[in-house]
């Protein structure tokens, strides 16, 4: 898969959003870990500590249950909990120098160790302890876990594959499904077991109501629901744009079909009359050339008329062929004055632009030997100009104005710009801005 296609893939965007949600959810925990580590390294007093610290020295004796006692020479003892034993990697017989305090939850019992000062005669470095601990491993597990859960919730809330039943579920049903997944995720969330520092699931601990994990899951669910609503709004806007494009294309197709239907009955029968005249005159060469030009003209209309744009070069080739058909009808009375700068040959304009302009000019003006008719097609800068002097017929042809309206609206839809029509008493001019080709 190419990089651009990968970048546009929904899975990639979902994964990035899920990672961002996971980092936000775990940021407070990560910050708390850093603060706790710094506080413990500095020896910050715990909120549960009461009274002054007592310095004691002695040898630790561990029980089979994992906790221990530091017993001094007088036989006094200080309690060491399981977590401290495991984290400090204490073993039977270690000679320790410690700080001990009275704590509220152990009121009336032994002193409890709050800080290790020396171990076997060497000052203990808490910094080295944390560098070797698994707390950052726990954070990594939690980031990956919440990212995967967020990804699953995002897919549930924003899944939009055509024909999917999930796509048609109301928002409340989707939130209910997402809440169910979040509840399962809560029970399966990794946490650190207080006594052993082991990574366990919430459902494996004695405390099934872990408020920190519960807040993480609820926050994650809230962010996913909010993001999904924004996603739905963006998706609906994109669908509206696509539908508008489709409507525009259908409109262009309809107008094109109307244009073709206008050409066929009038122009086709007039062309047959001109061909019949050449055959009666037994001008075989001109008749064959006429058939070639007629064939090219209709092939261009049928094949290229569906295209939204055409190059100026192609359009001028069509105009030359189309004009030759009229020249047979109006021998030595109709002339085309063409001045096209070749550097604009690759510039574009809507297909079949010149056909209605040439057709209308011939249809609505008198063309005689005494009054020969000239149609000018030229470029002025990047503007194509089609003009002719006005010589109205004594009996004007009926006109609906559909051709020019079609041309103007098609030009606006395809290029986003407008054409300029100048219709005065002496001259009819249409200015058509060309579009620079896309590289």
């Amino acid at each position: 898969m190419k990089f651009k296609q990968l970048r546009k893939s929904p899975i990639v965007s979902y994964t990035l959003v899920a990672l961002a949600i996971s980092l936000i959810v775990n940021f407070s925990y990560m910050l708390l870990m850093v603060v706790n580590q710094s506080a413990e390294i500095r020896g910050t007093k715990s909120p549960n500590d009461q009274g002054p610290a007592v310095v004691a020295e002695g040898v630790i004796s561990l029980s089979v249950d994992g906790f221990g006692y530091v017993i001094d020479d007088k036989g006094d003892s200080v309690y060491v909990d399981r977590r401290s034993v495991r984290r400090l990697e204490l073993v039977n017989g270690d000679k320790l120098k410690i700080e001990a305090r009275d704590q509220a939850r152990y009121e009336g019992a032994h002193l409890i160790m709050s800080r290790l000062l020396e171990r076997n005669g060497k000052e203990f470095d808490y910094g080295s302890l944390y560098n070797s601990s698994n707390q950052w491993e726990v954070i990594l597990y939690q980031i990956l876990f919440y990212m995967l859960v967020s990804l699953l919730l995002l897919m549930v809330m924003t899944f939009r594959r055509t024909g999917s039943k999930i796509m048609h579920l109301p928002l409340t049903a989707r939130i209910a499904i997402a809440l169910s997944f979040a509840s399962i995720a809560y029970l399966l969330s990794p946490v650190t077991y207080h006594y052993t520092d082991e990574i366990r699931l919430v459902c494996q601990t004695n405390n099934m109501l872990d408020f920190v994990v519960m807040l993480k899951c609820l926050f994650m669910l809230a962010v996913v629901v909010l993001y999904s609503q924004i996603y739905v709004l963006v998706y609906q806007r994109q669908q509206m744009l696509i539908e508008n494009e489709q409507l525009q294309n259908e409109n262009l197709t309809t107008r094109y079909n109307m244009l073709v239907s206008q050409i066929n009955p009038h122009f086709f029968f007039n062309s047959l009359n001109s061909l019949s005249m050449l055959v009666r005159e037994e001008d075989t060469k001109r008749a064959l050339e006429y058939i070639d030009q007629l064939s090219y003209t209709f092939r261009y209309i049928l094949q290229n008329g569906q295209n939204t744009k055409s190059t100026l070069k192609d359009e001028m080739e069509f105009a030359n062929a189309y004009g030759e058909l009229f020249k047979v009808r109006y021998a030595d009375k109709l002339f085309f004055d063409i001045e096209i700068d070749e550097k604009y040959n690759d510039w574009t304009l809507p297909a079949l632009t010149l056909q209605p302009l040439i057709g209308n000019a011939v249809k609505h003006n008198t063309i005689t030997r005494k009054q020969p008719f000239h149609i000018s097609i030229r470029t002025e800068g990047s503007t194509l100009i089609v003009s002719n002097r006005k010589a109205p017929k004594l009996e004007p042809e009926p006109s609906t104005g559909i051709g020019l309206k079609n041309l103007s609206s098609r030009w606006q839809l395809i290029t986003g710009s407008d054409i300029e029509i100048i219709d005065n008493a002496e001259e009819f001019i249409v200015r058509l801005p060309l579009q620079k080709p896309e590289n």
Side-chain angles (χ1 to χ4, degrees):
M1 182 182 293
K2 294 181 179 179
F3 175 74
K4 289 184 178 180
Q5 293 176 337
L6 182 64
R7 187 175 60 181
K8 294 180 180 179
S9 172
I11 297 298
V12 174
S13 60
Y14 285 174
T15 302
L16 293 176
V17 173
L19 177 60
I21 293 174
S22 179
L23 291 175
I24 293 173
V25 166
N26 288 282
F27 179 78
S28 58
Y29 176 76
M30 294 165 63
L31 185 62
L32 182 62
M33 294 294 298
V34 173
V35 172
N36 285 343
Q37 289 179 14
S38 301
E40 194 163 9
I41 292 172
R42 296 194 305 268
T44 303
K45 184 177 178 181
S46 169
N48 291 324
D49 294 340
Q50 294 181 354
V54 177
V55 178
E57 294 186 43
V59 177
I60 188 169
S61 176
L62 301 178
S63 69
V64 294
D65 293 327
F67 60 86
Y69 292 92
V70 177
I71 303 174
D72 61 15
D73 296 337
K74 299 179 182 180
D76 296 328
S77 61
V78 177
Y79 176 77
V80 182
D81 59 36
R82 295 183 183 89
R83 187 182 184 198
S84 297
V85 170
R86 185 177 182 278
R87 291 176 62 205
L88 301 176
E89 298 180 351
L90 301 178
V91 296
N92 268 318
D94 280 344
K95 186 175 181 181
L96 307 179
K97 182 178 180 181
I98 62 174
E99 281 185 0
R101 295 177 185 270
D102 286 323
Q103 293 200 0
R105 56 179 176 174
Y106 296 108
E107 186 177 358
H110 295 279
L111 294 172
I112 184 170
M113 185 183 77
S114 61
R115 180 171 173 79
L116 177 60
L117 302 176
E118 294 182 5
R119 177 178 180 178
N120 297 324
K122 295 181 180 180
E123 183 177 356
F124 188 76
D125 182 11
Y126 271 90
S128 62
L129 168 67
Y130 283 105
N131 290 334
S132 61
S133 70
N134 68 341
Q135 295 197 39
W136 293 108
E137 182 181 353
V138 174
I139 293 176
L140 179 60
Y141 282 149
Q142 292 191 346
I143 290 176
L144 291 176
F145 174 79
Y146 286 106
M147 185 182 75
L148 292 175
V149 175
S150 299
L151 181 60
L152 178 61
L153 293 178
L154 284 170
M155 294 180 68
V156 170
M157 292 298 298
T158 62
F159 192 69
R160 292 197 165 273
R161 187 172 64 187
T162 304
S164 170
K165 293 182 179 179
I166 297 180
M167 180 180 179
H168 302 291
L169 289 178
L171 178 61
T172 53
R174 290 195 183 199
I175 293 178
I177 296 174
L179 185 59
S180 301
F181 281 118
S183 300
I184 297 173
Y186 166 76
L187 297 175
L188 300 179
S189 296
V191 293
T192 305
Y193 190 52
H194 177 73
Y195 293 107
T196 63
D197 271 359
E198 295 176 337
I199 299 176
R200 293 189 178 183
L201 307 182
V202 170
C203 60
Q204 294 177 328
T205 62
N206 295 329
N207 182 19
M208 293 293 290
L209 292 178
D210 191 318
F211 291 103
V212 175
V213 177
M214 191 178 297
L215 286 175
K216 286 183 179 182
C217 291
L218 290 175
F219 179 79
M220 175 181 60
L221 180 62
V223 172
V224 167
V225 171
L226 179 62
Y227 174 84
S228 67
Q229 290 303 103
I230 297 175
Y231 174 88
V232 168
L233 292 176
V234 173
Y235 177 82
Q236 290 175 347
R237 183 175 181 274
Q238 290 177 341
Q239 290 299 111
M240 289 178 62
L241 292 176
I242 292 174
E243 290 177 1
N244 287 338
E245 288 291 334
Q246 291 175 344
L247 290 174
Q248 288 182 0
N249 290 334
E250 291 175 1
N251 188 18
L252 289 176
T253 301
T254 301
R255 292 176 182 272
Y256 161 74
N257 291 332
M258 291 174 61
L259 182 61
V260 171
S261 65
Q262 286 180 338
I263 294 172
N264 286 341
H266 302 92
F267 178 72
F268 183 67
F269 289 116
N270 288 332
S271 298
L272 289 181
N273 290 333
S274 298
L275 180 60
S276 176
M277 178 189 68
L278 293 175
V279 172
R280 284 195 301 269
E281 293 177 355
E282 298 183 355
D283 193 342
T284 305
K285 182 179 178 181
R286 291 185 65 193
L288 291 175
E289 291 177 353
Y290 188 90
I291 292 173
D292 289 339
Q293 298 291 354
L294 183 63
S295 173
Y296 175 83
T297 299
F298 277 93
R299 184 168 62 250
Y300 183 88
I301 292 172
L302 295 176
Q303 291 182 353
N304 298 328
Q306 293 288 3
N307 297 331
T308 56
K309 291 183 181 181
S310 179
T311 63
L312 178 59
K313 181 180 179 181
D314 291 340
E315 192 71 7
M316 288 306 303
E317 289 178 356
F318 165 75
N320 287 328
Y322 189 58
E324 287 297 324
L325 300 179
F326 284 109
K327 286 182 180 180
V328 172
R329 286 175 55 192
Y330 300 98
D332 300 326
K333 293 176 285 187
L334 176 63
F335 301 93
F336 290 87
D337 304 326
I338 298 176
E339 297 179 11
I340 300 295
D341 192 336
E342 292 184 356
K343 71 179 182 181
Y344 296 106
N345 280 343
D346 293 331
W347 289 50
T348 62
L349 68 166
L352 290 176
T353 291
L354 297 179
Q355 184 275 329
L357 297 178
I358 296 174
N360 283 344
V362 173
K363 178 181 179 181
H364 297 293
N365 290 278
T366 301
I367 303 176
T368 63
R369 289 188 182 276
K370 292 182 178 181
Q371 291 184 324
F373 191 71
H374 290 257
I375 298 176
S376 172
I377 304 176
R378 65 187 186 277
T379 53
E380 287 186 2
S382 59
T383 301
L384 180 67
I385 300 176
V386 181
S387 63
N388 60 269
R389 63 167 180 80
K390 296 180 70 172
K393 293 182 177 180
L394 295 177
E395 295 181 3
E397 295 279 348
S399 175
T400 61
I402 294 178
L404 281 177
K405 290 180 180 178
N406 271 353
L407 177 61
S408 180
S409 59
R410 284 177 63 240
W411 201 284
Q412 176 64 39
L413 286 172
I414 295 173
T415 68
S417 59
D418 294 318
I419 64 175
E420 182 182 359
I421 300 175
I422 303 172
D423 187 4
N424 54 44
E426 297 181 354
E427 197 173 18
F428 184 84
I429 304 172
V430 179
R431 299 176 61 88
L432 310 162
L434 300 174
Q435 287 195 310
K436 192 173 183 179
E438 299 178 359
N439 296 328

